[in-house]
């Protein structure tokens, strides 16, 4: 190939953009978990004696909220390191 | 082909971008599940004796909220590993 | 190569865009942690005697909310400094 | 080179776009810290005698919320001034 | 150069886009500070005697929320007037 972008380069370049896009999913858990933290802190202020139960519930709910952020991270890592699309070229 | 991007490469590159875009759907469950976790923690603070029922309801509702994030993940995985568009090329 | 963009340049350029996109994930923790700070400040105003417990819960929840922002930063740094896609070119 | 964009120019141009994208992360802290400021002002109105504790908690939580905005700024500055991708060209 | 876009033009054009993208960060402080102003006005309506303390807390919190918008402005000005990427061409 004398000039221009190779097919491999095009797929890899788009994979870099795709990986970055997938990480944007992290917006959601960031907002949601912060809201949970806010309500948790407020609840602890009102019922300090229930602090253990409140934090336990907060962390359990936050763990569920984290999942879609991890989905984005996993797809990003697959695009950068596994590169399944290169095998189909 | 002496130069330029092949048709296969173009479809595969766009698939990488499409997969990344699909994962952005994860913003929603992340926010929503976090709100659920916040209200759940607040409710446990007020009625610690109902902790089991509160967490059960919270997790049930969060499971429903997770669905669209999983839709995004499934489409992303299909784009990267099943590649149905390549069969139509 | 006499003219035009090389394959290496295309992958590196797309990596710069991908890194920038990944950092957008930081929107989430920024909003969520601010909400947590607001509820925390409000709770301290109402129960100043529980200030220690409130701040502890706020910071714990904010730490969980930070994670997806760090995922974005890590993928951005990988794209700029590790450049795994260049090895597949 | 008689015409066309050089490889260096492509990477540098994409770096400018990537830097701009990374700064978009600043949306998050801006919203979140403003919410914290609103709750803080409201709390001071209700309990002016706890003003010191309220402002201290607000500023602590806002400092945590600032982090992801700084991540975006750091990646933007790296893209514009350190230019790690140019070394891989 | 008889036709086509020069390398300088490409970097300068992308810098214009990057500067514009960086300024999008201003969405955040705009929303957040408005929320702070709303809560502040509400609080002054309820406790007019605490007007000074409320406004002081509101302005302090809004000043923190302004920072990421200034980051975006600074990167935009750097892209337009300092043009660090042109020196690397």
């Amino acid at each position: 190939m004398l000039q221009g972008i190779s097919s491999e380069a095009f797929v890899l370049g788009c994979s870099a953009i795709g990986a970055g896009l997938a990480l944007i999913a992290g917006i959601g858990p960031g907002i949601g978990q912060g809201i949970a933290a806010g309500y948790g802190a407020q609840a602890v202020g009102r019922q300090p004696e229930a602090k253990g139960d409140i934090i336990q519930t907060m962390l359990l709910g936050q763990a569920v909220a984290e999942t879609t952020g991890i989905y984005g991270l996993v797809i990003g890592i697959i695009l950068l390191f596994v590169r399944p699309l290169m095998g189909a070229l």
Side-chain angles (χ1 to χ4, degrees), chain A residues 12 15 18 23 26 31 35 37 49 54 63 67 69 75-77 79-80 85:
Chain A
L12 291 170
S15 295
L23 267 292
I31 296 177
I35 292 173
E49 71 281 1
I54 293 167
T67 51
I75 293 295
I77 287 174
L79 280 165
L80 297 187
L85 300 171

Side-chain angles (χ1 to χ4, degrees), chain A residues 11-29 68-80 85:
Chain A
V11 175
L12 291 170
C14 291
S15 295
I17 292 174
L21 287 168
L23 267 292
I24 295 178
I27 291 176
T68 53
I70 291 176
Y71 297 166
L73 178 63
V74 167
I75 293 295
I77 287 174
I78 286 173
L79 280 165
L80 297 187
L85 300 171

Side-chain angles (χ1 to χ4, degrees), chain A residues 53-86:
Chain A
D53 284 337
I54 293 167
I55 287 180
Q56 208 181 324
T57 309
M58 180 187 83
L59 289 176
L60 177 65
Q62 283 183 323
V64 177
E66 183 82 1
T67 51
T68 53
I70 291 176
Y71 297 166
L73 178 63
V74 167
I75 293 295
I77 287 174
I78 286 173
L79 280 165
L80 297 187
F81 292 100
V82 181
R83 296 180 292 267
L85 300 171
M86 293 302 280

